[in-house]
Amino acid sequence: MRLKIGKTLSAFAILAASASYAHAGDVEVLHWWTSGGEAAALTVLKKDLESQNVGWQDMPVAGGGGTQAMTVLRARVTAGNAPTAVQMLGFDITDWAKEGALANLNDIATAEGWDDVVPAALQKFSKNDGQWVAAPVNVHSTNWVWANKAVLDELGIAQPKTWDELVAAMEKVKAAGKTAVAHGGQAWQDATIFDAVAMSTGGPDFYKAAFVDLDPEVLGSDTMKEAFDRMSVIRSYVDDNFSGRDWNLASAMVINGDAAFQFMGDWAKGEFINAGKEPGKDFLCFRFPGTQDQVTFNSDQFALFKQGDAVSSEQGALAKAIMSPAFQSAFNVVKGSVPARVDVSDEAFDACGKQGMKDLAAASKSGNLYGSAAHGHANPASVKNAMYDVITAHFNGEYDSETAVSELVTAVEIAQ
Ligand code: BGC
C-alpha cells in the first residue's frame, strides 16, 4: 500500500516538476486548497490579484494537511523549477528558509509594518534569523468539534463539555442507528484528532512536553497511553467506510445529517458555509471537550521562492495583498480561519469566527496557545511524519495502546 502511494506520488512529482515556469506578470501558486470551501476562499485571493493585473497560475496538489503538496514542492525545487509562491505550514517554512530557498521580504514587511501587527507565535515561523520569509494569511486551530444541530436536538443531546459527556453523546447517537463521528481515515486526519485528544487527556503541560519538547518520558507515559485508549474509543464510533475518506466528505456527512460530529480544524467551517449552512442554526462549533481554554493552532503562510536577486513585482503584490487588513477579513470569513493580524475587526465574522478570534486572543494572553503537532507547528516534518505513522497504525488497530506508546518513543527518537 505504502509503495503504491509512493509510486503514484513520485509519478505526480515528476509531472509537476516538468511544469512550465510562470509567465512574467503571473504568480504561480502551489497550494492544497482543493475542497469546495477552500476553493471559495482561494477565489477571494485570485480576484484580489486580478484587480492588480497580476495573473494567477494555479498549482493545486490535493491532500489535506499538505503532505503531498510538500512532496511535489521538493521535486519542483530539485528540478530547478520552484513555484513563485507556496502555501506552507510552520516548521516547513523554517526548513526551506534554512536551505536558503526563500526570498527576503524585509523591505515589504518594514514598509507595511508587519512587525507590529503579526503575533509573535506566527512571527516565529514567518521569520528566520530576523528575516521575513513568509506572509501569514490566517490562523486555524485544530481543537474544534463540528456538530449537526438537528441531530443533537432530535436526540436530546446537549453540547458535551467533558470527555465523559462526549462519550455519552456518541453512544446516544450510535444507539439511535446513526454515525456518531464522521471521519476520514487518513494519517493527517487521525493526527488532527490526536492533537485535541492529547490536549484534553493530559492538559497543556503534557502537550508541550510531549509534542514540542519531545520528552521521551512523557511520550512514553501512562497519560499518553490513556490518550491512545481514547482514540480507540473514538474509533468505535466511526462508520465502516471511513478508510481513505477525504476530510471534506466527512464534513458533508455532518452537513447532511448523516453523522453527528466531526473533530476537525476550522477549515471544516468553510465547507458548512459553502453549503449555505449557518452556525447556531444548522450546525454548532465548540472546542473539543476538555480543551475549552486551549488553542492548538496552525497558520497558512505563503513563502515566496527566490526567482532572482530581488522579490519580483508579482511576488511583492501577492505578499502585500495577503497582508492587507481588508483581505484578511474577506478571506478568513470564507476560509473558516481567523486573521493573522491582531488589528482586524471581527465584525464581518459569524459566531464561530468571532469565537475563534476571542479564543485565540485569550489563549495567547494566558499562555495557552500551542502549535498543532498534526499541522507542522509543534515539531519538524520528520518528527511529525513519524508520529503520523504511529497514530494511524494504532487507529487502524495495528497496535494496541501500549505498543503505540513505545513505538511513539522509538519513532520520535529515530526521526530527530
Ligand atoms: C491547512 C488548511 C487546510 C487543511 C485541509 C491544513 O493544514 O492549514 O488551510 O484547509 O489543511 O486541507
Side-chain angles (χ1 to χ4, degrees), residues 265-310:
D266 41 12
W267 46 90
K269 196 192 78 181
E271 298 305 302
F272 285 83
I273 301 300
N274 197 42
K277 303 295 178 190
E278 278 178 44
K281 181 171 160 266
D282 305 307
F283 69 97
L284 304 178
C285 58
F286 51 93
R287 293 289 168 186
F288 191 87
T291 71
Q292 284 87 342
D293 293 332
Q294 284 87 38
V295 170
T296 46
F297 83 98
N298 61 299
S299 164
D300 292 304
Q301 309 211 16
F302 281 89
L304 308 181
F305 275 70
K306 281 183 187 161
Q307 307 281 320
D309 286 341

Side-chain angles (χ1 to χ4, degrees), residues 109-123:
T110 307
E112 302 280 317
W114 293 359
D115 273 290
D116 300 331
V117 293
V118 175
L122 302 195
Q123 285 197 29

Side-chain angles (χ1 to χ4, degrees), residues 139 144 146 266 269 273 279 283 285 287 332-333 336-339 345-360:
V139 186
W144 285 102
W146 307 93
D266 41 12
K269 196 192 78 181
I273 301 300
F283 69 97
C285 58
R287 293 289 168 186
N332 287 305
V333 159
S337 37
V338 304
S345 156
D346 71 355
E347 204 185 319
F349 288 79
D350 60 28
C352 299
K354 283 190 168 70
Q355 189 191 329
M357 287 173 78
K358 216 170 111 222
D359 289 352
L360 180 65

Side-chain angles (χ1 to χ4, degrees), residues 32-33 38 64-65 87 89 140 188 247 267 298 300 335 375:
W32 63 94
W33 286 335
E38 291 172 329
Q87 176 194 359
L89 296 173
H140 271 301
W188 75 272
W247 67 272
W267 46 90
N298 61 299
D300 292 304
K335 182 69 172 70
H375 292 264

Side-chain angles (χ1 to χ4, degrees), residues 29 42 44 48 65 88 124 129 160 169 173 182-183 206 226 243 260 317 347 350-351 360 407 414:
V29 185
L42 200 64
V44 179
D48 194 301
M88 238 185 240
K124 181 181 167 206
D129 276 344
V173 180
H183 179 59
F206 166 79
E226 197 186 334
S243 190
E347 204 185 319
D350 60 28
L360 180 65
E407 288 290 333
I414 293 170

Side-chain angles (χ1 to χ4, degrees), residues 225-245:
K225 180 175 171 292
E226 197 186 334
F228 276 110
D229 283 344
R230 289 185 179 189
M231 291 297 283
S232 304
V233 172
I234 290 175
R235 168 71 182 83
S236 70
Y237 291 108
V238 162
D239 70 309
D240 289 343
N241 298 320
F242 81 104
S243 190
R245 175 189 289 139

Side-chain angles (χ1 to χ4, degrees), residues 52-323:
Q52 304 179 51
N53 291 322
V54 176
W56 180 281
Q57 238 180 280
D58 209 31
M59 182 66 209
V61 182
T67 311
Q68 288 87 333
M70 290 302 104
T71 305
V72 169
L73 173 63
R74 175 62 63 190
R76 289 280 307 259
V77 176
T78 307
N81 183 16
T84 326
V86 180
Q87 176 194 359
M88 238 185 240
L89 296 173
F91 280 89
D92 289 333
I93 305 171
T94 311
D95 285 349
W96 280 106
K98 284 193 175 140
E99 288 191 29
L102 305 185
N104 180 348
L105 307 180
N106 275 3
D107 287 350
I108 302 169
T110 307
E112 302 280 317
W114 293 359
D115 273 290
D116 300 331
V117 293
V118 175
L122 302 195
Q123 285 197 29
K124 181 181 167 206
F125 300 109
S126 325
K127 280 176 158 178
N128 185 53
D129 276 344
Q131 185 174 307
W132 282 89
V133 291
V137 68
N138 64 11
V139 186
H140 271 301
S141 55
T142 54
N143 56 324
W144 285 102
V145 180
W146 307 93
N148 182 296
K149 187 166 183 306
V151 171
L152 263 52
D153 287 350
E154 191 189 310
L155 299 174
I157 296 172
Q159 181 181 313
K161 295 203 167 51
T162 62
W163 169 252
D164 288 345
E165 285 178 17
L166 177 64
V167 176
M170 293 189 293
E171 186 54 39
K172 216 165 183 181
V173 180
K174 191 176 180 180
K178 270 195 184 285
T179 299
V181 181
H183 179 59
Q186 296 173 345
W188 75 272
Q189 292 189 59
D190 301 338
T192 300
I193 300 186
F194 199 62
D195 269 6
V197 168
M199 181 63 92
S200 171
T201 308
D205 291 345
F206 166 79
Y207 185 93
K208 178 175 177 293
F211 299 138
V212 181
D213 303 337
L214 306 177
D215 181 334
E217 261 179 47
V218 178
L219 287 166
S221 64
D222 288 348
T223 309
M224 188 61 81
K225 180 175 171 292
E226 197 186 334
F228 276 110
D229 283 344
R230 289 185 179 189
M231 291 297 283
S232 304
V233 172
I234 290 175
R235 168 71 182 83
S236 70
Y237 291 108
V238 162
D239 70 309
D240 289 343
N241 298 320
F242 81 104
S243 190
R245 175 189 289 139
D246 286 331
W247 67 272
N248 53 314
L249 300 181
S251 303
M253 291 168 69
V254 178
I255 291 170
N256 299 333
D258 295 331
F261 303 110
Q262 182 183 21
F263 310 133
M264 188 45 61
D266 41 12
W267 46 90
K269 196 192 78 181
E271 298 305 302
F272 285 83
I273 301 300
N274 197 42
K277 303 295 178 190
E278 278 178 44
K281 181 171 160 266
D282 305 307
F283 69 97
L284 304 178
C285 58
F286 51 93
R287 293 289 168 186
F288 191 87
T291 71
Q292 284 87 342
D293 293 332
Q294 284 87 38
V295 170
T296 46
F297 83 98
N298 61 299
S299 164
D300 292 304
Q301 309 211 16
F302 281 89
L304 308 181
F305 275 70
K306 281 183 187 161
Q307 307 281 320
D309 286 341
V311 173
S312 73
S313 62
E314 296 79 23
Q315 286 179 314
L318 176 70
K320 271 193 212 168
I322 285 170
M323 293 301 290

